[in-house]
Amino acid sequence: MNSIDPHRPSPRGGRRRLAALLIAAFLPLAAAAPAAAQYRLAGGDRIRVTVLGAVELSGETEVDIDGYVRLPVFGSVEAVGRDVAELEQALRDAVAGRVYKRVGADGAPIFASVEPDDVFASVALYRPVYVTGAVTRGGGAVVFRPGMTARAAIASVGGIGEQTTNEDIRRAAPRLRGEERTLAYEIGRLVAELWRLDAELAEIAEPEPPQDARVPLRTEVFDALLAAQRANLKTSVATTAERRAYFAAALEQVNQRIEILRAQRQNQVAAAEFDAEEQERVETLFQRGVVPVSRLLDTRRAQLLSSSRLLETDNNLERVLLEKVRIESDEKLYEEDRVRLIYDATTQARARLEAALARLAAVREELSVTGELVLELDGAQERTAILNVYRGAEILPDIGPELALEPGDIVEVVVELLDPTAEIR
């Protein structure tokens, strides 16, 4: 008998202590996160979910435009407005008591569950910060780093364009117009892609064209984008139909083999029972001396043969039944992966669409003031840079270059002319 050391920690307890140590090790990094871990998640943040002992459930996903993270087994969990700890608890609540199926190394299905305490969440990548206005390299999206200040964000795009001249602004206008056209095309492409993804998810082969007022393209250009996505949809629908037909044919073939083997087994059971009765009858006659020993041996060989055939049929039937389970499991995994891939692609496309729309609005705002800046700079001797930071729908008051930014903030640098008659304060 093997003795069990009562002081030896269990494997699960060891894993949890290891996870606790890892989390404790990263607490200083978490403290550097925006707003001292009080940061509220928003669309576009990328979340890393770790499930101890279940690599297939661990991974990264983005908070989608609806404010949810969507993961296998966990389902859809609301993330917007929550901090990381609240999201982690929501994920644990979502997975509590759930059982999921995975395929073992031998291809057989395995049913498993997740302990809520084994689920951990963290931010893999924050939404970017956007810098716009009078900066050297024209601004744009800046990867957010915990502790980033407005000064650091501006420096990452080359700093304030202190030497901006009338000619610089005139040269900026064509660049902005080119970026506007590029963004307009990208927005149209993303709207068309989302239209195709929605049709794939709903399994609609001929969906109605989208009516989206946000598409800043001519009708013929947008129609060409829709045509390309319609071709992709047709290919996807054909591939899905082909894959499903394969599973249906495989299952039909397996079911036919099962039916044949079951019928064969029924006949063999009847034959085995007949041979057993025959052997019993011949043994009785042999004991009476009515039949020779050769007859007795023949009946015994017949019974052994029928029993062997029945055993072989049972083994074949068991293998075919396992093959059916494997095919059904593969079919389910295919459907789950298909839906998951569509969800992931949709989430990413929506995030890119929102970013493109925000950038297009900023570019158009820059274009609207370019002409005014050209006029104001003529004859100007001194200028000053004004810093504005937009957080959501609000502009932050009383800010400075050392302001700690949060993901999604928009930093605007505005160059204004100094009134030479104004009192210097």
Side-chain angles (χ1 to χ4, degrees):
M1 178 181 296
N2 295 327
S3 60
I4 299 176
D5 184 357
H7 300 291
R8 184 180 180 181
S10 68
R12 183 172 293 276
R15 286 191 309 176
R16 287 180 179 165
R17 278 190 288 276
L18 176 59
L21 290 173
L22 290 173
I23 293 171
F26 282 101
L27 278 177
L29 296 179
Q38 296 302 314
Y39 170 66
R40 299 290 170 177
L41 298 169
D45 286 330
R46 191 161 187 82
I47 305 301
R48 179 184 296 109
V49 178
T50 303
V51 182
L52 298 181
V55 178
E56 67 277 7
L57 298 184
S58 302
E60 296 183 5
T61 182
E62 284 189 1
V63 180
D64 64 24
I65 195 170
D66 298 321
Y68 287 81
V69 291
R70 307 179 194 275
L71 295 159
V73 180
F74 293 88
S76 299
V77 178
E78 187 172 6
V80 165
R82 288 175 164 167
D83 61 28
V84 175
E86 291 170 344
L87 174 61
E88 182 177 272
Q89 186 58 51
L91 290 169
R92 291 178 173 182
D93 293 342
V95 81
R98 290 197 179 184
V99 176
Y100 71 99
K101 184 172 71 174
R102 60 184 180 184
V103 179
D106 58 354
I110 299 175
F111 293 93
S113 62
V114 178
E115 291 292 333
D117 290 345
D118 289 345
V119 178
F120 300 93
S122 60
V123 178
L125 185 66
Y126 292 99
R127 291 173 294 147
V129 169
Y130 298 92
V131 181
T132 184
V135 289
T136 301
R137 293 200 293 267
V142 176
V143 176
F144 177 83
R145 303 295 182 193
M148 174 179 280
T149 63
R151 184 191 301 277
I154 294 171
S156 67
V157 293
I160 297 174
E162 297 178 354
Q163 303 303 318
T164 301
T165 65
N166 218 339
E167 188 61 29
D168 293 333
I169 296 176
R170 287 193 178 96
R171 284 198 298 266
R175 176 186 59 79
L176 290 172
R177 282 194 292 269
E179 186 176 358
E180 180 186 29
R181 286 191 293 270
T182 301
L183 287 168
Y185 186 87
E186 178 67 4
I187 289 168
R189 190 191 66 78
L190 288 169
V191 169
E193 181 181 353
L194 287 169
W195 166 75
R196 188 256 303 170
L197 290 170
D198 288 342
E200 281 189 24
L201 188 61
E203 299 188 21
I204 302 174
E206 295 292 338
E208 292 293 326
Q211 303 296 326
D212 196 322
R214 298 176 298 177
V215 178
L217 291 174
R218 299 192 308 274
T219 301
E220 59 271 20
V221 176
F222 188 51
D223 286 345
L225 292 173
L226 289 179
Q229 293 297 328
R230 190 176 285 109
N232 292 340
L233 175 61
K234 183 178 179 181
T235 301
S236 176
V237 169
T239 301
T240 300
E242 180 180 349
R243 192 65 175 165
R244 287 174 174 170
Y246 162 77
F247 286 121
L251 285 173
E252 182 180 2
Q253 184 178 8
V254 166
N255 286 329
Q256 288 176 355
R257 291 169 60 192
I258 291 173
E259 184 178 350
I260 292 171
L261 287 171
R262 282 175 174 168
Q264 181 178 327
R265 185 182 186 280
Q266 185 176 0
N267 293 333
Q268 289 174 346
V269 167
E273 290 175 351
F274 174 80
D275 289 341
E277 293 174 356
E278 179 66 11
Q279 180 181 352
E280 185 178 354
R281 186 182 69 82
V282 171
E283 284 183 350
T284 302
L285 293 175
F286 175 75
Q287 290 173 0
R288 294 176 183 175
V290 177
V291 297
V293 67
S294 59
R295 173 62 175 159
L296 178 62
L297 293 176
D298 288 342
T299 56
R300 286 180 178 177
R301 281 195 294 268
Q303 184 188 18
L304 180 61
L305 181 59
S306 61
S307 297
S308 299
R309 287 174 176 172
L310 178 59
L311 180 60
E312 182 181 1
T313 299
D314 284 339
N315 289 336
N316 290 336
L317 182 58
E318 184 178 358
R319 283 197 296 269
V320 175
L321 288 172
L322 286 175
E323 177 70 9
K324 180 179 180 181
V325 170
R326 186 191 65 78
I327 293 172
E328 290 175 338
S329 177
D330 288 347
E331 182 179 21
K332 184 176 181 181
L333 286 175
Y334 166 75
E335 294 293 345
E336 290 176 350
D337 286 345
R338 186 183 72 86
V339 172
R340 178 180 58 80
L341 290 172
I342 293 175
Y343 270 130
D344 288 348
T346 299
T347 300
Q348 294 172 13
R350 285 177 174 172
R352 292 197 300 270
L353 176 60
E354 291 301 316
L357 288 168
R359 179 56 189 157
L360 180 62
V363 167
R364 286 178 169 173
E365 179 65 22
E366 288 183 65
L367 280 170
S368 69
V369 300
T370 297
E372 298 174 11
L373 286 176
V374 169
L375 293 175
E376 290 177 355
L377 284 173
D378 284 333
Q381 298 300 317
E382 296 184 40
R383 289 165 286 156
T384 184
I386 298 176
L387 181 65
N388 295 321
V389 175
Y390 299 87
R391 183 165 295 165
E394 300 179 355
I395 181 170
L396 301 184
D398 302 326
I399 62 171
E402 302 306 322
L403 172 72
L405 298 178
E406 290 188 4
D409 284 352
I410 299 176
V411 179
E412 179 187 36
V413 180
V414 179
V415 174
E416 290 190 353
L417 300 177
L418 282 177
D419 184 355
T421 63
E423 181 180 355
I424 300 177
R425 292 178 292 178

